[in-house]
Amino acid sequence: MKTEKLLAAGVLATPLFFVVALAQAFTKDGFDLREHMISQLAIGSLGWIQIANFLVTGALFALVAVGLRQGLTNGIGRVWVPRLVGVFAAGMIGAGVFVCDPYRGYPVGAAELMTWHGTLHGVCAAVAGLSLVAAIAILARRFRSERRTGAAVLSIVIAVVYVVLPVSIPALTSITFAIASFLAWGWVAVFAAGLRTEQVAEPVTGSRRLQPA
């Protein structure tokens, strides 16, 4: 598959995940986004929708990782950014395979027990999050080396927000975590989209250079 098509998967991944998740969050009885995590949508009736959401999103980011590996041929991050995005994708897939445990009364009436699959869900989510933060930090270094100061600063801000925001307001952890995730995932997608634009433009530029003056 061509690099630009692989990178285009990133444009779909983040909005797809949150549109599907929020559509469930506002329609499932007993689910309250102020108290319950998006992952809990995978439990109970029609939980397969959120499981599929995790799997598809993870697969899309896996395609992005391959596209980054092909498209990043030089500069800081050419090795580790694709790898870390790939680990993030694997973590998302793992979070879909291993369903989390009931929490704070959702699903309604479900016993709040710690299970092996719930523990593995947490591990996968943590690995995905740490990988994402590391990838964004490396992107900040890359932008700085390219003298793209604004992008470098924004990368650091997004990485810090991703780590700090979810724990800054305990009563709204679910909402703040969703917002932080949207920003971080979206930033990786924006970088992939920018690289895709370069990939599409390069052959055209190259063909023009070959034309006689």
Side-chain angles (χ1 to χ4, degrees):
M1 188 179 294
K2 290 185 178 181
T3 303
E4 58 267 24
K5 291 183 179 180
L6 293 167
L7 294 171
V11 178
L12 299 174
T14 301
L16 174 65
F17 181 89
F18 285 97
V19 166
V20 172
L22 291 176
Q24 298 174 81
F26 291 112
T27 56
K28 282 198 171 184
D29 292 337
F31 188 90
D32 188 339
L33 194 56
R34 294 169 296 181
E35 297 184 7
H36 305 128
M37 302 297 288
I38 286 176
S39 294
Q40 292 176 253
L41 293 167
I43 313 172
S45 177
L46 300 179
W48 64 268
I49 297 175
Q50 184 57 28
I51 292 174
N53 197 19
F54 273 116
L55 297 178
V56 171
T57 303
L60 288 172
F61 272 108
L63 294 178
V64 173
V66 176
L68 290 172
R69 183 179 179 183
Q70 294 178 2
L72 287 177
T73 56
N74 54 66
I76 294 173
R78 65 185 181 279
V79 175
W80 279 103
V81 168
R83 289 179 180 178
L84 289 167
V85 173
V87 173
F88 169 71
M92 289 292 291
I93 293 172
V97 172
F98 304 110
V99 178
C100 70
D101 295 323
Y103 179 64
R104 289 189 176 182
Y106 186 85
V108 179
E112 295 186 15
L113 300 174
M114 182 177 291
T115 64
W116 63 271
H117 53 79
T119 300
L120 287 177
H121 175 90
V123 170
C124 289
V127 169
L130 290 173
S131 299
L132 190 64
V133 170
I136 294 174
I138 294 174
L139 286 179
R141 290 182 57 213
R142 181 183 180 90
F143 291 138
R144 183 180 178 184
S145 70
E146 296 173 345
R147 298 184 178 180
R148 298 165 64 183
T149 305
V153 171
L154 187 55
S155 296
I156 295 298
V157 169
I158 289 174
V160 171
V161 166
Y162 185 76
V163 174
V164 174
L165 184 60
V167 297
S168 62
I169 311 176
L172 297 174
T173 297
S174 301
I175 294 177
T176 53
F177 182 69
I179 293 171
S181 297
F182 181 83
L183 292 174
W185 302 9
W187 189 236
V188 172
V190 166
F191 176 73
L195 185 61
R196 178 183 179 275
T197 300
E198 294 176 10
Q199 293 290 315
V200 172
E202 189 173 289
V204 176
T205 303
S207 64
R208 287 177 179 174
R209 288 176 181 173
L210 292 175
Q211 292 177 359

